[in-house]
Amino acid sequence: AEKELYIADLYYRTDEWQHALVRYEKYIREFPGHDKQAHAHYRAALAAENFGDESKRNSLFRTLIKKYPGSDQAKRAKGIL
């Protein structure tokens, strides 16, 4: 799980939005109980936005807010939507 998230974050930091999005989505799918899910949803949404997919961004933000309502990421997502 940590390795997958590390790779996703690396792509994110280097502005490779499509690769980052794919890796975050893989992490979200394959490690549903891992403690960095809110981070992954938030970053995936921002990657989707930077990639030009506003619909995907909104969907990821809504899922984040629903699944992790008390997280800092959910609070930030609410401010963006």
Side-chain angles (χ1 to χ4, degrees):
E2 294 294 332
K3 179 181 173 187
E4 194 63 46
L5 190 59
Y6 176 83
I7 293 168
D9 283 339
L10 180 63
Y11 281 131
Y12 185 89
R13 286 191 304 274
T14 57
D15 299 342
E16 294 194 42
W17 309 120
Q18 185 176 13
H19 292 298
L21 179 58
V22 167
R23 289 295 188 144
Y24 284 125
E25 288 182 318
K26 181 178 179 187
Y27 171 87
I28 290 165
R29 212 176 33 255
E30 293 184 6
F31 306 102
H34 200 259
D35 65 344
K36 302 286 188 191
Q37 282 287 320
H39 167 82
H41 277 81
Y42 186 76
R43 285 276 183 97
L46 294 180
E49 177 179 54
N50 285 310
F51 184 61
D53 191 341
E54 190 173 326
S55 175
K56 171 77 85 177
R57 179 202 74 173
N58 292 343
S59 175
L60 285 160
F61 275 157
R62 283 192 295 273
T63 300
L64 166 62
I65 292 164
K66 182 179 177 182
K67 287 186 170 184
Y68 311 99
S71 69
D72 290 339
Q73 293 90 346
K75 292 172 190 165
R76 283 184 260 159
K78 286 178 189 175
I80 294 171
L81 284 178

